[in-house]
Amino acid sequence: MPKFIRFLHDSIPRKKDPNVVVTELRIGTIPVRLYKPKAPSGRPRCGIIFFHGGGGLFGSLKLYNNLCCYLSRESDSVVMSVGYRMLPDHRYPSPFYDCISTTIHFLRTLETFEVDPSRVIMCGDSAGGTSATSVCQTLVTQPDLPKIRAQILIYPYLQGFNFQLPSYQQNKYIPFLSWNTVISCMFRYLDIHPSWETTILNGSHVPPEMRKKSEERINVRNIPERFKERGYQYLSPGPFNEIAYLETKQMLWTVNSPLIADDDIIAQLPETLLVSCEFDILRDEALLYKKRLEDQGVPVSWHHIEDGFHGVMLSFDTKPFFFPCSLRILNIVVHFIKDL
């Protein structure tokens, strides 16, 4: 089914952008697309490393082609879009390894791509936002590489500890990313048996020693009260289930739950743009990450899209299904890049 859906969305005709040069490359075995404004530049450009969303099941270089063209053209940047391996043939950690290896190669060869080493940005939406977050956190321990100037995270998935946040309760039936879709993507990606769904929903997969740490960093009290007005009921976590933990513990690793990274890692992260949407099951994860970043002194630009929902950004150039907020999100991103 995932391959068939990708076949369908990749079959949609897309117009070429006359103002952007698109080059298909491979970094090792990983396909990437490079987007570069056709107009000459008197200096090296900003570089954007882009990871597309889709939960590891959907999305592709083709689907995100027009979006990357828009980013490149409007922000006058070189964009590298990464075609990381996907389900059903490839599970964790293959997609993450593809993202980190292409990023390191790009950072080591910036001169080849005519990119300013002081202006490299990590960017991703949804699961791509997860990858951008995790790669950014990983790179702070790599002093031999150029520092990332900023990260742009658009409705990212950031934690596998607490699935009873207000946004999970309020938006669990919203199309495009319902609770069933979240759990299906996560279980397939991490190779977790679906029988653990109820246990995970109740929080019984989190061991006591990790629960205290996670409750400090994924605390509902850090979510502004206005985001609870559409309905929220606190539910105590269920009793710890050790077997569930042993079979699902990869959910709790920092690479898959970057929201719970240690303070010393968070404090070294670059300036951040966070975009959240009101009708998104992942909304509160962005709000909590905003708080964690700000607590460690990281500059954060946060934009909340009141009429937005998960995945809406991709509708920016699909006239029959166009939502105005999609273009607002893209323009927020472009303005952020230009102001760096």
Side-chain angles (χ1 to χ4, degrees):
M1 182 63 74
K3 287 185 177 180
F4 178 67
I5 293 177
R6 291 204 295 268
F7 168 78
L8 290 178
H9 66 52
D10 284 351
S11 300
I12 300 171
R14 288 171 177 85
K15 293 180 180 179
K16 289 187 177 181
D17 190 323
N19 299 307
V20 178
V21 177
V22 182
T23 308
E24 297 194 11
L25 303 170
R26 283 189 178 269
I27 295 178
T29 60
I30 307 161
V32 301
R33 283 192 182 185
L34 200 70
Y35 300 83
K36 187 177 178 181
K38 188 171 288 186
S41 176
R43 60 169 184 160
R45 288 184 162 99
C46 173
I48 302 171
I49 302 166
F50 184 84
F51 304 129
H52 69 75
L57 284 167
F58 315 116
S60 65
L61 293 176
K62 287 184 178 180
L63 182 64
Y64 279 75
N65 182 76
N66 290 5
L67 188 149
C68 290
C69 279
Y70 186 93
L71 281 182
S72 176
R73 182 183 72 246
E74 297 300 319
S75 68
D76 192 34
S77 301
V78 175
V79 177
M80 181 184 73
S81 182
V82 179
Y84 54 84
R85 287 172 286 179
M86 299 177 66
L87 292 163
D89 298 326
H90 304 283
R91 302 175 186 267
Y92 174 80
S94 296
F96 176 73
Y97 285 166
D98 290 353
C99 291
I100 192 73
S101 61
T102 50
T103 298
I104 290 173
H105 176 81
F106 188 73
L107 291 173
R108 293 198 191 281
T109 55
L110 293 175
E111 187 176 345
T112 302
F113 300 111
E114 299 179 315
V115 168
D116 182 347
S118 68
R119 294 193 298 149
V120 179
I121 299 167
M122 304 293 308
C123 181
D125 71 314
S126 189
T130 317
S131 297
T133 307
S134 296
V135 169
C136 229
Q137 291 184 2
T138 302
L139 291 178
V140 302
T141 63
Q142 301 282 331
D144 59 319
L145 294 170
K147 286 189 175 183
I148 300 298
R149 175 63 181 85
Q151 57 179 346
I152 298 172
L153 312 175
I154 303 160
Y155 35 74
Y157 169 88
L158 297 174
Q159 59 89 28
F161 285 79
N162 185 345
F163 297 105
Q164 292 295 344
L165 297 172
S167 62
Y168 275 89
Q169 293 186 10
Q170 296 164 7
N171 299 320
K172 61 184 176 182
Y173 300 121
I174 298 291
F176 301 109
L177 194 66
S178 65
W179 164 249
N180 287 338
T181 306
V182 170
I183 206 73
S184 175
C185 291
M186 182 170 56
F187 279 10
R188 291 188 188 194
Y189 178 65
L190 298 174
D191 200 14
I192 295 171
H193 196 276
S195 62
W196 291 120
E197 178 179 350
T198 301
T199 305
I200 287 170
L201 184 61
N202 294 336
S204 298
H205 64 303
V206 182
E209 64 273 16
M210 296 185 74
R211 185 168 290 170
K212 182 178 179 181
K213 177 181 176 181
S214 68
E215 286 178 349
E216 291 173 355
R217 300 175 181 184
I218 309 172
N219 194 320
V220 175
R221 288 194 296 272
N222 292 331
I223 298 172
E225 288 301 313
R226 71 183 180 94
F227 293 105
K228 303 168 190 175
E229 292 175 356
R230 288 199 292 122
Y232 170 66
Q233 180 180 2
Y234 173 76
L235 298 174
S236 299
F240 175 53
N241 184 325
E242 185 176 16
I243 299 299
Y245 165 68
L246 292 173
E247 290 195 24
T248 66
K249 59 185 177 181
Q250 58 269 40
M251 290 176 59
L252 310 180
W253 295 344
T254 307
V255 68
N256 296 317
S257 290
L259 180 53
I260 57 100
D262 290 339
D263 287 345
D264 63 328
I265 296 294
I266 298 290
Q268 298 179 70
L269 292 172
E271 184 174 350
T272 302
L273 169 64
L274 274 168
V275 176
S276 59
C277 289
E278 178 62 26
F279 301 100
D280 180 10
I281 199 168
L282 304 181
R283 178 197 69 202
D284 295 345
E285 301 189 10
L287 303 182
L288 291 167
Y289 200 47
K290 170 181 178 288
K291 178 73 163 56
R292 290 221 60 208
L293 290 164
E294 290 175 338
D295 284 350
Q296 297 304 315
V298 177
V300 178
S301 298
W302 169 57
H303 293 265
H304 183 64
I305 310 302
E306 294 287 354
D307 56 342
F309 54 88
H310 196 88
V312 69
M313 184 173 65
L314 270 178
S315 77
F316 86 101
D317 67 339
T318 55
K319 289 185 178 179
F321 306 104
F322 171 72
F323 291 87
C325 64
S326 62
L327 204 52
R328 292 207 308 273
I329 293 173
L330 272 175
N331 288 332
I332 286 167
V333 171
V334 168
H335 291 150
F336 176 80
I337 295 168
K338 287 182 172 181
D339 289 342
L340 290 174

